[in-house]
Amino acid sequence: MARNISLNFRVVEGRDLPAKDVSGNSDPYCIVKVDHEVVARTATVWRNLNPFWGEEYTLHLPLDFHHLAFYVLDEDTIGHDDIIGKISLSKETIAAASPRGIDSWLNLSHVDPDEEVQGEIHLDVKLLAEAQGPRLRCHIIEARDLAPRDLSGTSDPFARIFWGSQSLETVTIKKTRFPHWDEVLELHGEEGPLRVEVWDWDMVGKNDFLGMVEFPPDVLLQCPPSGWFRLLPFASAEEDAGGKLGALRLKVRLAEERILPSVYYQPLIELLVESVLSPAQDDTVTPLAMLDEVSSGESRQDIATQLVKIFLGRGLAVPLLDYLNLQEVSRTTDPNTLFRSNSLASKSMEQFMKLVGTPYLHEVLKPCVNRIFEEKKYIELDPSKIELTRTRRISFKGTLSEEHVRENSLGLLTGYLGEILEAITASVDKCPPAMRVAFRQLHQRVEERFPETEHEDVKYVAISGFLFLRFFAPAILTPKLFDLRDHHADPQTSRSLLLLAKAVQSIGNLGQQLGRGKEQWMVPLHPFLLQSIARVKEFLDKLVDIDAEGALEAQPRLLFPPSAIIKEGYLHLRKAEAGALVPRFAFKKRYFCLSSETFSYSKAPEWQNVNELNQWLSAIRKASVCNEGMLPSCHPGTFRGNRWTCCLQQDRTVQGCSRTHSAVTLGDWSDPLDPDAEAQMVYRQLLLGRDKLRKKYVEFSEEIKLEQEATQVQSGQEGEISVVPEQQSPPTASAAVRLLAVIEDLEQAHKTFEQEEKEQVARVSLHS
């Protein structure tokens, strides 16, 4: 059994940020920290005081994490970036929010250096009773991961203890964030709390606060502290700036789950699989359909993701989609509304394409998207948005007329669109077989449901609606969110991408909506769009022309095979050159490649891919999660000049001075499948809707049964001869009873393990 803590947060947008540049604007971005470890950085939005990021992250966290912080900074080309403000959320604050989590505007607060503390201190405290009075013996051993306060990126830390009216302090250790004092400080004849403070010594000016920890008298008497303790800021209520520093709109949701052993989830998974593999009667509602009923619009995307992963792990993702799509198609009467809602079928298809098709998306769109970013062409068709002053970049002959701008923009748009369309229509063989089979079955279901001649295009629109409208077009609109680019587009490029995304959506709709909207300025593009429809249909026909059985046999049960590349990109390799009096360090740029089996590097890659440091750390942590030989601590510095540069100790074999940070990882599409965690999420949703299911299917069926019995009794009293058949529960009620029994078994298992945990904690506490 294990505990799983996941934190899903979305940095949506900012408003009314202060101007930090002389131009009257700012270039804001956000840094996200968990317990002072940087876990994510949004892209920079240039020249904007009301930025939109829309970036979403999922973090897998350790059980003992304490708080989440969002810092807003202004990026500067020269000098240090300016800090605008921050928002800090404790674990308790996030957990106390509604099941939907936090979704609101939060004002930024000032960043107080005295509150920006981090790290831990290692203490061994004893309170001794003597004839002259109590004696406090405080062994200050070491500290780690202290905040850097000096320009060199280090600090000059010393520790100071307070007990009653007395105080003592250790020596100062220069230029380190990992001091090793190993000093014993003793105080006599006082009572009261013990406070240990850590400071950075400065020759000029006042010392900088690094953190503190305090122990009340009863703790000193009953359970003297011994071990590592997290440094805290001075107690003060954090106040926002009343909106003067602006605000962020954040969505934050914390999920803390107890993951049971796999055997407990098997009955639930078998019921869900049975819904797909064992066709039921037309009027029978399956457990999978019941799950759809109790999933609200807000939770449906999460449930769809978990379902797709569960069935992917069993090689049954395509049958799952076929089942959901068949249910959706069967209850649709108007073909114009097919898959237009955020149903479980629509969301499952979306998540399936992301999980299976992200490498395909990158291969198809990345070259053209990179070209658009690099060329930075001015494109505009809307007369109300044309800025003639920008056309000087188009022509050296002066400002062009509005008509010339539209003609030039139309040529650029059709050029980019032609490249995108060519890349898509030529990608049949690149599309994952599982996606092609899913589209083939969807094509067949829609054709069977709407066989009329006037509905000839419905089977094409059903597929293109997913592939073009929900896959390609969103990636073109916001490449950063699909990892096609490392940064958001500037306003000019963003407008070009918006026009291209609109055009791709029109092509995906097979031109059915052309001319019906308010954007009549798109009319000059219509001839190109209409000419593209035939190519799109031909592409879709080829896409669904696949041997379904052979493709399904070959479909992977994992998102990537064990030897597949997890992460790749440039890093700097550091090597010490031995043999010299003063060791020299050579930094060489090398292309690193990480898989679940190897971690290697070479001088140059076959292709280039830019990766950020936190993504590298997360990928390495995931790849080493099963490494039984992982060390609990490490040295973040190097051994040079007969000592470690981090903690200044002279023993090369001494234990590492910093914890190995292996618990915080970023969730992404390439995460290994975890059927137990995914089944737990499904169970949690069913538990929330249990009363609804019981009332609708079980209690209602019992009422009908009682009414039937009453009718038969009345008929007998009137002298009629009737044969009373053996009463049987309707199939739907029977399925509901089985599902409810599985939910109750899982609930009881959770209660049992929770009670065992409490008893174990009590035994450990008693032993201590």
Side-chain angles (χ1 to χ4, degrees):
M1 188 191 67
R3 279 188 173 273
N4 183 18
I5 296 185
S6 61
L7 184 70
N8 181 272
F9 63 89
R10 189 180 188 202
V11 185
V12 185
E13 56 186 322
R15 70 181 180 193
D16 302 330
L17 300 182
K20 291 292 185 178
D21 300 336
V22 294
S23 62
N25 268 316
S26 290
D27 306 312
Y29 67 93
C30 292
I31 290 287
V32 185
K33 293 184 177 182
V34 171
D35 292 343
H36 305 291
E37 180 183 356
V38 176
V39 295
R41 180 199 191 278
T42 69
T44 301
V45 180
W46 304 99
R47 303 185 299 278
N48 202 319
L49 300 181
N50 298 282
F52 176 82
W53 290 287
E55 298 191 25
E56 189 168 358
Y57 301 87
T58 298
L59 294 177
H60 305 295
L61 299 173
L63 297 175
D64 58 348
F65 99 95
H66 297 90
H67 69 275
L68 175 73
F70 300 84
Y71 293 80
V72 182
L73 294 90
D74 167 57
E75 183 168 336
D76 289 331
T77 306
I78 301 175
H80 294 287
D81 295 347
D82 301 317
I83 299 178
I84 295 176
K86 77 165 185 177
I87 294 170
S88 184
L89 300 172
S90 67
K91 179 182 178 181
E92 291 73 22
T93 300
I94 302 172
S98 65
R100 294 178 296 178
I102 297 171
D103 182 2
S104 61
W105 285 95
L106 301 174
N107 289 334
L108 292 167
S109 61
H110 292 283
V111 177
D112 184 355
D114 285 345
E115 294 182 358
E116 299 304 303
V117 303
Q118 66 183 64
E120 299 171 301
I121 188 168
H122 192 186
L123 303 172
D124 184 17
V125 180
K126 293 181 180 179
L127 188 61
L128 307 175
E130 297 182 348
Q132 299 84 357
R135 176 164 63 94
L136 180 76
R137 184 179 184 273
C138 182
H139 184 190
I140 301 180
I141 304 169
E142 58 188 322
R144 62 189 179 194
D145 298 312
L146 299 178
R149 291 287 190 245
D150 299 336
L151 294 177
S152 61
T154 62
S155 292
D156 304 320
F158 68 91
R160 181 185 295 154
I161 66 170
F162 296 87
W163 191 45
S165 60
Q166 302 179 71
S167 66
L168 286 174
E169 61 184 48
T170 66
V171 298
T172 300
I173 300 180
K174 299 290 187 68
K175 298 181 179 179
T176 181
R177 294 174 49 233
F178 303 87
H180 188 83
W181 292 290
D182 197 17
E183 289 191 40
V184 177
L185 305 180
E186 293 188 353
L187 296 172
H188 299 268
E190 291 279 353
E191 291 184 356
L194 168 67
R195 187 171 76 252
V196 181
E197 299 176 357
V198 183
W199 292 81
D200 166 52
W201 178 82
D202 285 332
M203 181 178 294
V204 180
K206 65 176 184 178
N207 297 331
D208 300 314
F209 179 65
L210 293 176
M212 55 86 68
V213 60
E214 189 168 7
F215 307 99
D218 57 337
V219 172
L220 297 177
L221 287 170
Q222 300 173 11
C223 185
S226 178
W228 286 97
F229 300 93
R230 187 170 68 99
L231 293 172
L232 303 172
F234 285 124
S236 63
E238 183 177 301
E239 298 181 359
D240 64 50
K244 295 180 180 178
L245 297 178
L248 288 183
R249 185 186 171 200
L250 301 173
K251 293 184 177 181
V252 184
R253 187 176 76 249
L254 180 67
E256 184 173 355
E257 299 286 352
R258 178 186 292 103
I259 309 300
L260 303 176
S262 300
V263 64
Y264 290 93
Y265 296 109
Q266 288 308 307
L268 174 59
I269 294 177
E270 288 171 3
L271 275 180
L272 298 176
V273 171
E274 181 183 307
S275 302
V276 173
L277 298 184
S278 300
Q281 302 175 16
D282 293 339
D283 59 345
T284 302
V285 180
T286 65
L288 200 52
M290 295 178 194
L291 174 62
D292 189 10
E293 287 186 32
V294 298
S295 301
S296 63
E298 298 171 349
S299 64
R300 191 160 285 144
Q301 179 167 318
D302 292 337
I303 293 300
T305 302
Q306 309 311 322
L307 280 177
V308 170
K309 287 186 174 181
I310 288 173
F311 281 81
L312 264 177
R314 291 176 168 253
L316 296 173
V318 173
L320 167 71
L321 297 174
D322 184 43
Y323 168 85
L324 295 174
N325 290 336
L326 177 60
Q327 302 301 312
E328 179 84 1
V329 171
S330 299
R331 60 174 174 255
T332 302
T333 57
D334 183 0
N336 294 318
T337 63
L338 186 61
F339 295 114
R340 296 299 182 184
S341 64
N342 289 324
S343 63
L344 186 60
S346 298
K347 288 297 183 182
S348 296
M349 283 290 289
E350 278 187 40
Q351 298 307 310
F352 173 73
M353 289 190 297
K354 287 182 180 179
L355 290 167
V356 175
T358 294
Y360 164 61
L361 178 78
H362 288 185
E363 187 175 0
V364 172
L365 291 184
K366 202 162 193 177
C368 187
V369 169
N370 286 340
R371 180 187 162 202
I372 296 169
F373 270 76
E374 292 163 2
E375 293 183 352
K376 298 183 182 296
K377 298 290 187 180
Y378 179 73
I379 301 176
E380 186 55 75
L381 294 179
D382 187 354
S384 65
K385 296 183 181 295
I386 290 179
E387 299 179 24
L388 295 178
T389 55
R390 295 196 177 192
T391 60
R392 293 173 183 170
R393 300 180 182 179
I394 302 175
S395 173
F396 292 103
K397 298 179 181 180
T399 304
L400 298 178
S401 66
E402 182 178 302
E403 185 63 28
H404 282 90
V405 173
R406 285 170 56 83
E407 289 180 4
N408 189 78
S409 298
L410 183 62
L412 290 171
L413 269 178
T414 53
Y416 287 139
L417 274 175
E419 183 177 341
I420 291 174
L421 194 61
E422 176 62 29
I424 294 175
T425 55
S427 68
V428 173
D429 294 334
K430 299 175 183 177
C431 185
M435 281 181 63
R436 295 181 62 185
V437 175
F439 289 140
R440 172 190 171 90
Q441 294 180 340
L442 175 60
H443 181 278
Q444 180 181 346
R445 297 299 187 186
V446 174
E447 190 173 34
E448 292 172 353
R449 179 67 178 85
F450 301 102
E452 297 83 3
T453 305
E454 62 267 25
H455 297 149
E456 174 68 23
D457 287 344
V458 177
K459 59 180 179 290
Y460 293 109
V461 175
I463 300 173
S464 63
F466 286 115
L467 195 58
F468 283 79
L469 275 67
R470 298 186 184 226
F471 194 55
F472 288 129
I476 294 171
L477 180 62
T478 52
K480 171 68 172 66
L481 303 187
F482 289 80
D483 294 325
L484 289 170
R485 296 287 297 185
D486 290 328
H487 299 283
H488 282 302
D490 57 52
Q492 181 173 307
T493 304
S494 181
R495 178 62 180 172
S496 301
L497 295 172
L498 175 61
L499 295 175
L500 287 169
K502 286 178 177 290
V504 171
Q505 286 180 332
S506 297
I507 294 174
N509 280 321
L510 301 185
Q512 294 180 357
Q513 305 297 325
L514 290 181
R516 299 183 184 179
K518 299 179 180 179
E519 299 171 340
Q520 295 300 313
W521 41 268
M522 289 284 285
V523 170
L525 196 60
H526 289 180
F528 178 87
L529 301 180
L530 292 173
Q531 292 172 5
S532 304
I533 292 174
R535 294 179 61 189
V536 171
K537 287 185 176 180
E538 182 182 358
F539 161 69
L540 296 177
D541 284 333
K542 293 179 180 178
L543 195 67
V544 300
D545 185 14
I546 184 174
D547 177 16
E549 294 184 2
L552 288 179
E553 290 177 0
Q555 76 165 319
R557 290 176 179 264
L558 298 175
L559 298 188
F560 53 90
S563 59
I565 295 174
I566 300 174
K567 204 72 179 172
E568 58 182 335
Y570 280 108
L571 292 173
H572 284 88
L573 179 68
R574 179 171 64 181
K575 285 187 175 181
E577 297 181 358
L581 292 176
V582 179
R584 293 183 299 168
F585 286 82
F587 292 86
K588 296 182 179 180
K589 192 174 183 180
R590 292 292 182 262
Y591 195 84
F592 281 77
C593 181
L594 172 69
S595 74
S596 55
E597 295 180 343
T598 61
F599 186 38
S600 58
Y601 66 89
S602 58
K603 288 186 177 181
E606 295 182 4
W607 61 88
Q608 184 174 347
N609 184 15
V610 179
N611 301 279
E612 294 183 358
L613 179 60
N614 61 333
Q615 293 174 329
W616 268 108
L617 292 173
S618 183
I620 293 173
R621 289 167 181 171
K622 291 175 187 176
S624 58
V625 68
C626 297
N627 180 7
E628 297 179 355
M630 184 185 299
L631 298 175
S633 61
C634 63
H635 286 287
T638 59
F639 193 78
R640 183 173 58 188
N642 294 323
R643 66 177 184 178
W644 287 101
T645 58
C646 45
C647 57
L648 309 181
Q649 296 195 74
Q650 297 181 356
D651 183 0
R652 190 183 189 116
T653 62
V654 72
Q655 185 179 4
C657 57
S658 178
R659 280 193 306 164
T660 300
H661 297 277
S662 60
V664 179
T665 58
L666 282 170
D668 58 28
W669 64 270
S670 62
D671 282 351
L673 300 175
D674 187 350
D676 295 339
E678 291 141 13
Q680 171 63 24
M681 296 290 290
V682 172
Y683 154 72
R684 184 63 60 189
Q685 186 63 41
L686 288 169
L687 185 64
L688 293 174
R690 176 174 57 181
D691 293 341
K692 178 181 178 181
L693 294 177
R694 181 182 289 117
K695 183 176 182 180
K696 181 174 181 179
Y697 294 109
V698 179
E699 295 178 1
F700 181 70
S701 297
E702 290 177 352
E703 291 176 3
I704 294 177
K705 183 178 178 180
L706 291 174
E707 290 178 1
Q708 292 175 346
E709 291 176 349
T711 302
Q712 292 166 354
V713 170
Q714 183 178 1
S715 300
Q717 291 175 348
E718 294 175 354
E720 297 180 4
I721 299 175
S722 60
V723 178
V724 180
E726 183 180 353
Q727 298 293 334
Q728 294 181 351
S729 299
T732 295
S734 176
V737 169
R738 292 172 61 199
L739 182 61
L740 290 170
V742 169
I743 297 172
E744 291 171 1
D745 288 344
L746 280 168
E747 183 182 30
Q748 184 59 45
H750 276 280
K751 290 180 179 178
T752 301
F753 278 102
E754 183 179 2
Q755 182 62 32
E756 290 178 357
E757 284 181 359
K758 290 180 180 179
E759 293 175 357
Q760 184 178 2
V761 170
R763 286 194 297 269
V764 172
S765 177
L766 182 63
H767 178 72
S768 300

